[in-house]
Amino acid sequence: WNEIIELFRAGMPLRKHRCRFKSYERCFKASEAVDCLHELLGSNQNFGPEVTRDQTVKLLKKFLKNHVIEDIKGRWGKEDFADDGHLYRFPPSSPLKSYPKKPSCGKEVIKFPDWNETKAGPSQEHIPVKSAAMNSEMWYKRHSIAIGEVPACKLVFRRELTQTNIEEIWKSMTLSRLQKVLGLDSLDEVLDTKFVNSKHIVKNVYNVNKQGIVTLEDKSKELPHWILSAMKCLANWPSCSDLKQPTYSGFERDVFKTIVDYFGQMKEPLLTFHFFDIFVSVLGLLQKPSKAVEALQISCLLLPPENRKRLQLLVRMMARISLNQDLPPLSESVRTRTLMVQVFSRCILCSKDEIDLDELLAAKLVSFLMDNYQEILSVPSALKSSIEDHVVHLQRVQIKYAGADSDAALPPPSFCHRITTGEFEYQRATGSQEPLAALLEEIVMNKEISVKDKKKKLKQFQKSYPEVYRVRFPSPETEAMLFPEKTKQKPPILMWALKKPFQPFHRTRSFRM
């Protein structure tokens, strides 16, 4: 505010103008003010060339209302400024206030790990190395030289991992953990993995600042500076050390409306259309908050870095505004927290196909996000440690002793050898028939199901696996033994039936007249 006023007062040309046969010194036309301020805003790094002429007129209306400018008769206080030939001037008293300068501080640059960088040895600068648990057998092998025994051993050199290899490890282990947390047999129903970019996961984990906010390599994808300034203003109200706030009434609502308009015009929500189902599936875990937090932590790692950063900044602002008692009400009829959920839910989560339940689902998820944003939008430390340990294990050199595994912490690799066709057919038959025979026996011995259901299951089994069924029941007699027939008693003959045999029905003539 103050910066633009200073630039405007310094850059606005003032000269003599005539109006109704009278001359006025050091003034300017309204259209000249729009031209000058529009050019200043377009060249200012805080605004940029996307500022429109209409927005410039709106700002000049605020200037007139708050006595930054006045008409040539000294009138101000209304927003009746128009892009025309009316004359205006600067008042003799400055509307600026003195503010302490913000102390400059150096920015720490977080270096993203370069996986292609050659390393001299097994140590990793960016990934901590944990010592493996050592049992008595491993201790004896490593220290046997002290007692004069040196078992035969050899070094096993692991293959070099490229950046692509490590990114795929991150993707596979992240999705595996997400599937386990959600308690699903497969992610296919809620997530199309082809939309999961492994590079996004790695950047979201390592390209962060001290506050855990994602730092973007492509600066063109950053939020505009004026939106960031507006969000900081409301998030830190009223103590904004790096902002120069005006004092006019309703300023905070104007700033809030600017933020709502910006996020409302996005074509796709921050959680993206592709990940809608995976975030909705987390709603089933809200009764277990710890599980829901972990599921959302991992799910948010899948987002594009620019979406994750905007989500971090937006949700943090929403949470702070909701808890800020010093901020004036942003609505006359709606509570501040409810207002945050209503206006920002759709820009955070919605489906590509319009569904009536979208708004309710989004509101429920956004409320949970606001309450737990610090945990949810941080990097899950347990997942990060496990993946880093796995990467280090794959990269380091192993010592393998004769007759022992290379590493007791992980299972040894298995290898195949070639077999004959006969051996393959035998293994295929025996290997597949044994569990099927056990299943058939379980059906036969199960006494909890009825005879009718047991016959139905056996018939289905016989149709699907006739060879296995024939081994268990080689003849119809063996099958009949499973269901012995019960002797049926004939009902007693009724005496009256013998005396009066059945008389067939004969139609008689009707007695109707």
Side-chain angles (χ1 to χ4, degrees):
W1 179 265
N2 281 6
E3 179 186 358
I4 294 300
I5 292 176
E6 291 173 351
L7 292 174
F8 181 50
R9 289 175 67 96
M12 183 65 218
L14 304 178
R15 58 189 179 87
K16 181 190 296 186
H17 287 82
R18 291 183 61 84
C19 179
R20 296 182 180 179
F21 307 103
K22 188 175 181 180
S23 298
Y24 296 92
E25 298 287 343
R26 298 181 58 79
C27 59
F28 50 86
K29 290 183 179 181
S31 58
E32 295 174 346
V34 177
D35 294 337
C36 177
L37 185 57
H38 185 238
E39 184 179 355
L40 288 174
L41 294 175
S43 59
N44 189 284
Q45 62 177 356
N46 295 335
F47 295 91
E50 63 269 14
V51 177
T52 64
R53 191 175 182 89
D54 290 338
Q55 291 173 328
T56 307
V57 173
K58 290 180 181 179
L59 181 57
L60 284 167
K61 289 182 178 181
K62 299 294 182 183
F63 283 179
L64 181 60
K65 180 179 179 181
N66 294 276
H67 206 195
V68 178
I69 59 176
E70 61 183 19
D71 67 7
I72 53 175
K73 294 184 179 181
R75 293 173 297 192
W76 59 278
K78 297 182 179 180
E79 296 188 9
D80 54 357
F81 183 92
D83 189 358
D84 53 22
H86 282 74
L87 298 180
Y88 293 89
R89 67 189 180 191
F90 292 115
S93 59
S94 173
L96 305 181
K97 291 185 178 181
S98 60
Y99 294 90
K101 293 184 178 180
K102 183 180 178 181
S104 60
C105 57
K107 294 183 179 179
E108 180 181 357
V109 179
I110 307 297
K111 182 181 179 183
F112 179 72
D114 186 4
W115 302 108
N116 293 326
E117 186 179 352
T118 57
K119 300 179 176 57
S123 63
Q124 306 288 337
E125 293 181 357
H126 58 280
I127 302 179
V129 181
K130 294 184 179 180
S131 58
M134 187 182 300
N135 54 30
S136 58
E137 183 181 2
M138 292 177 63
W139 185 93
Y140 172 77
K141 291 174 181 177
R142 295 189 182 185
H143 297 81
S144 58
I145 191 171
I147 58 176
E149 298 180 7
V150 183
C153 62
K154 64 178 180 179
L155 293 179
V156 179
F157 293 92
R158 300 300 178 99
R159 63 185 179 89
E160 291 292 331
L161 293 179
T162 64
Q163 180 179 356
T164 303
N165 296 145
I166 295 182
E167 288 171 353
E168 288 303 317
I169 291 173
W170 268 94
K171 177 179 177 179
S172 61
M173 294 187 68
T174 300
L175 294 180
S176 176
R177 180 58 188 170
L178 179 59
Q179 177 181 333
K180 184 176 181 181
V181 174
L182 293 176
L184 301 175
D185 296 331
S186 173
L187 292 176
D188 294 340
E189 296 183 359
V190 295
L191 177 66
D192 190 346
T193 55
K194 72 180 182 182
F195 294 115
V196 178
N197 191 325
S198 56
K199 295 181 182 294
H200 291 170
I201 300 176
V202 176
K203 290 180 180 179
N204 287 334
V205 171
Y206 289 105
N207 282 16
V208 295
N209 59 16
K210 290 182 178 180
Q211 289 76 34
I213 305 297
V214 176
T215 58
L216 302 181
E217 297 174 351
D218 187 356
K219 300 304 178 183
S220 64
K221 296 181 179 180
E222 295 275 7
L223 282 172
H225 194 283
W226 55 277
I227 282 292
L228 285 174
S229 299
M231 295 174 70
K232 287 180 182 179
C233 176
L234 294 185
N236 302 320
W237 186 279
S239 57
C240 307
S241 58
D242 61 338
L243 296 174
K244 303 172 182 180
Q245 299 178 32
T247 57
Y248 73 86
S249 176
F251 168 72
E252 64 282 347
R253 294 191 181 186
D254 290 340
V255 174
F256 181 68
K257 185 178 184 302
T258 302
I259 299 172
V260 173
D261 291 343
Y262 177 82
F263 282 97
Q265 50 92 30
M266 294 191 308
K267 296 180 180 180
E268 187 175 16
L270 294 177
L271 299 184
T272 74
F273 292 136
H274 298 310
F275 298 146
F276 173 80
D277 291 334
I278 196 71
F279 281 102
V280 170
S281 64
V282 179
L283 294 175
L285 300 175
L286 294 186
Q287 295 179 350
K288 301 177 181 178
S290 59
K291 286 285 187 183
V293 167
E294 184 180 1
L296 287 174
Q297 270 186 332
I298 301 174
S299 300
C300 289
L301 287 180
L302 310 181
L303 298 174
E306 58 271 18
N307 287 43
R308 179 177 171 87
K309 180 171 184 175
R310 295 185 178 201
L311 181 68
Q312 289 174 319
L313 296 176
L314 178 60
V315 176
R316 183 176 67 174
M317 181 204 72
M318 294 166 59
R320 290 184 178 180
I321 290 178
S322 301
L323 299 175
N324 192 347
Q325 301 293 332
D326 297 326
L327 183 66
L330 299 176
S331 174
E332 297 292 344
S333 58
V334 183
R335 292 174 56 247
T336 302
R337 178 183 172 86
T338 306
L339 181 65
M340 294 297 109
V341 176
Q342 286 180 353
V343 299
F344 290 118
S345 291
R346 190 166 185 78
C347 70
I348 292 178
L349 177 69
C350 69
S351 64
K352 196 169 185 179
D353 301 324
E354 295 293 335
I355 302 176
D356 295 337
L357 294 178
D358 279 1
E359 187 175 349
L360 298 176
L361 297 175
K364 194 173 183 180
L365 184 68
V366 170
S367 298
F368 189 79
L369 268 174
M370 290 173 58
D371 294 336
N372 304 274
Y373 76 96
Q374 291 183 337
E375 294 179 84
I376 292 174
L377 297 177
S378 62
V379 177
S381 56
L383 176 66
K384 181 183 177 186
S385 299
S386 64
I387 297 178
E388 287 175 343
D389 291 345
H390 183 67
V391 171
V392 171
H393 172 79
L394 295 177
Q395 288 180 327
R396 67 188 177 193
V397 177
Q398 302 291 320
I399 300 178
K400 185 173 182 180
Y401 295 92
D405 298 336
S406 60
D407 196 332
L410 294 176
S414 58
F415 302 94
C416 347
H417 63 278
R418 188 172 183 178
I419 61 175
T420 63
T421 306
E423 290 175 328
F424 169 75
E425 294 295 338
Y426 174 78
Q427 291 181 9
R428 185 181 66 171
T430 57
S432 60
Q433 288 183 2
E434 288 179 2
L436 292 175
L439 176 62
L440 177 59
E441 195 64 27
E442 183 180 350
I443 297 174
V444 171
M445 302 304 295
N446 192 346
K447 298 180 179 181
E448 296 181 358
I449 60 177
S450 63
V451 175
K452 182 178 179 181
D453 291 339
K454 183 178 291 188
K455 288 182 177 180
K456 184 178 180 181
K457 290 181 180 294
L458 289 175
K459 188 174 182 180
Q460 293 175 348
F461 193 97
Q462 182 183 16
K463 184 178 180 181
S464 302
Y465 310 104
E467 296 180 358
V468 180
Y469 191 85
R470 194 179 303 114
V471 173
R472 178 63 175 82
F473 300 106
S475 62
E477 290 76 13
T478 56
E479 185 179 4
M481 292 176 61
L482 185 62
F483 305 104
E485 294 185 359
K486 297 181 181 180
T487 57
K488 296 183 179 180
Q489 296 181 356
K490 295 183 178 180
I493 301 175
L494 299 178
M495 299 301 296
W496 63 269
L498 296 175
K499 294 179 180 180
K500 296 181 179 181
F502 176 75
Q503 299 291 333
F505 177 77
H506 296 284
R507 173 176 289 184
T508 59
R509 181 176 298 176
S510 174
F511 288 98
R512 290 182 299 176
M513 298 301 295

